[in-house]
Amino acid sequence: MSGFSARTDFPRTWNPLARALAERRDRGLPLLDLTETNPTRVGLPSPELALLAHPGALGYAPEPQGLLSAREAVAAYLASRGAHVSPAHLVLSASTSESYGWLFKLLCEPGDNVLVPAPSYPLFEYLTRLEGVETRTYRLPRAHGFGLDVEEVAAARDARTRAVLVVNPGNPTGHYLREGELDALGRLCAEAGLALISDEVFSDFAWDEEPGRVPTVAGRELPMLTFSLSGLSKVAGLLGLKLGWTHVGGPDALRDEALARLELVADTYLSVNTPVQLALPGLLSHAPRFQEALLTRVKENRRLLRQARPSDAHWDVVPAQGGWSSVLRIPLEPGEEATCLALLDEGVVVQPGYFYDFTRGAFLVLSLLPPPDVFTAALEPLVRVLATSG
């Protein structure tokens, strides 16, 4: 259609699963939703609303990188997690999605590309295309537990590659970047002149302790330009307050040039509102309580899932180390979509692996956030339907 850009011409055809789910909702039939990932809807702790009633909330004194008090609060929060950074190296945005847009503007000319992992959350194709940037996929091998293989990254790049994107831990795979993987990736990026963009929104949600994991690249001395992304959406479960942050690191000259350019980009938009910035110290002080409750929920639901699996089942719970999701490997027959539709007939909603670009097998993705009564009620039909597969 003339008059519109190709960048916004995304497919809008519903697949059979989406149509069946919409029909069930239209009929008012009950659902046990194991795709729920909104922490504000599952009974987890929230902060006091009074935090947003700051005396200066209606004032306006914009700073392109974000108010210093807010950046200091982020730096203090990162320090509490073992990452010591300067507030001067932080840039606030309205979300990590907006941060991605700014970084693609910073690093890429139209037609350049960034390397993105697969399987992963299906967002990057949209964010890059809206900036006139392309994606090239590197696979996360199942043999590596869906961890990073630097040879896959190297094979995916070409002359127009400008950055490598990692999701740490993977979403939905839950695999954390490891020190050896980061070392190898650092050498590749430094030799090829590539930046590293590390999406760390789930980094605070490790299920256990294990040496050798990389919780964040923020504050690390690395040989390439690095961008570490996170925000209130996941850290404190406050999706509606819209505040994200980017830490810029790497060699001093590259870091300072990147910050100078990002300041201009951020100053053009000035998207972060004043009330949430002023409330940020209090909102981040709420984060540990939220995270403790969420991790208790997630680990218990995962325990129930593993316990419900019969010892002779033809399906498995894929090993992982953190995050909010669980991945099931299921038989190739009848496959992902047929299994999802059969579960939907039982009132259980799950996601097929192809939503996340899983290949070489059949997979389902379940959220571990639903309240225990919902999750427990869904397990019996889940196990029964999976018993008929294979």
Side-chain angles (χ1 to χ4, degrees):
M1 182 182 296
S2 62
F4 298 101
S5 75
R7 288 179 297 171
T8 58
D9 188 19
F10 292 101
R12 286 173 285 175
T13 303
W14 285 23
N15 60 39
L17 181 58
R19 289 198 299 269
L21 179 58
E23 179 183 346
R24 189 173 181 93
R25 284 177 169 151
D26 287 344
R27 292 167 59 192
L29 297 176
L31 290 170
L32 296 168
D33 190 354
L34 299 190
T35 69
E36 179 61 82
T37 56
N38 183 344
T40 69
R41 294 197 295 233
V42 293
L44 293 169
S46 57
E48 296 294 330
L49 288 175
L51 287 172
L52 295 172
H54 192 283
L58 298 182
Y60 186 61
E63 297 182 32
Q65 288 182 228
L67 297 179
L68 178 58
S69 61
R71 287 183 283 125
E72 288 175 338
V74 173
Y77 176 77
L78 292 174
S80 75
R81 311 295 294 191
H84 298 279
V85 305
S86 168
H89 301 157
L90 290 163
V91 181
L92 305 187
S93 63
S95 65
T96 52
S97 293
E98 183 173 60
S99 296
Y100 277 119
W102 293 358
L103 294 180
F104 298 148
K105 290 178 175 68
L106 171 73
L107 298 170
C108 301
E109 301 291 352
D112 286 344
N113 66 71
V114 297
L115 306 185
V116 301
S120 192
Y121 190 72
L123 177 67
F124 305 124
E125 178 186 355
Y126 294 89
L127 294 174
T128 52
R129 184 165 158 182
L130 289 171
E131 300 297 336
V133 175
E134 299 177 1
T135 59
R136 291 176 64 89
T137 298
Y138 65 90
R139 303 304 306 184
L140 301 175
R142 183 179 155 208
H144 290 207
F146 296 110
L148 185 140
D149 182 342
V150 76
E151 293 184 4
E152 293 280 347
V153 179
R157 71 183 181 93
D158 68 8
R160 298 204 67 174
T161 302
R162 296 294 175 260
V164 180
L165 196 158
V166 300
V167 182
N168 183 37
N171 178 22
T173 57
H175 185 283
Y176 276 84
L177 189 67
R178 303 191 70 84
E179 290 290 350
E181 296 167 353
L182 179 60
D183 290 343
L185 188 58
R187 289 191 294 273
L188 173 66
C189 288
E191 292 169 3
L194 304 178
L196 174 66
I197 302 173
S198 183
D199 186 324
E200 298 170 354
V201 296
F202 290 105
S203 179
D204 295 333
F205 300 96
W207 299 339
D208 54 28
E209 298 292 335
E210 185 181 355
R213 292 182 191 161
V214 178
T216 178
V217 300
R220 299 284 296 262
E221 291 188 10
L222 294 168
M224 68 293 206
L225 189 60
T226 64
F227 303 93
S228 167
L229 279 59
S230 191
L232 281 180
S233 173
K234 305 300 187 296
V235 164
L238 299 171
L239 289 76
L241 293 188
K242 308 304 295 179
L243 187 141
W245 55 80
T246 300
H247 176 266
V248 184
D252 290 355
L254 283 174
R255 180 201 64 212
D256 293 347
E257 182 65 18
L259 282 164
R261 292 176 179 238
L262 278 174
E263 181 177 1
L264 178 61
V265 174
D267 193 34
T268 303
Y269 289 89
L270 291 175
S271 58
V272 191
N273 69 74
T274 299
V276 71
Q277 292 189 77
L278 293 175
L280 193 56
L283 296 173
L284 288 175
S285 70
H286 156 75
R289 184 167 71 101
F290 165 76
Q291 291 174 14
E292 180 181 6
L294 184 142
L295 280 169
T296 298
R297 167 83 56 84
V298 162
K299 289 193 285 187
E300 175 61 10
N301 281 346
R302 182 173 170 84
R303 186 191 70 79
L304 292 171
L305 173 64
R306 292 168 63 87
Q307 180 179 282
R309 179 189 177 273
S311 59
D312 59 349
H314 296 292
W315 57 275
D316 293 306
V317 181
V318 176
Q321 296 101 44
W324 298 1
S325 300
S326 193
V327 178
L328 307 185
R329 183 187 61 81
I330 65 171
L332 289 173
E333 296 295 336
E336 295 175 353
E337 190 162 272
T339 301
C340 288
L341 288 168
L343 284 167
L344 189 58
D345 285 342
E346 299 284 341
V348 178
V349 189
V350 300
Q351 292 180 319
Y354 69 75
F355 277 13
Y356 298 86
D357 202 14
F358 280 90
T359 58
R360 301 175 187 174
F363 301 87
L364 301 180
V365 177
L366 282 59
S367 170
L368 296 172
L369 283 196
D373 60 329
V374 173
F375 198 85
T376 301
L379 287 178
E380 188 275 329
L382 176 73
V383 171
R384 177 160 36 82
V385 168
L386 289 177
T388 65
S389 302

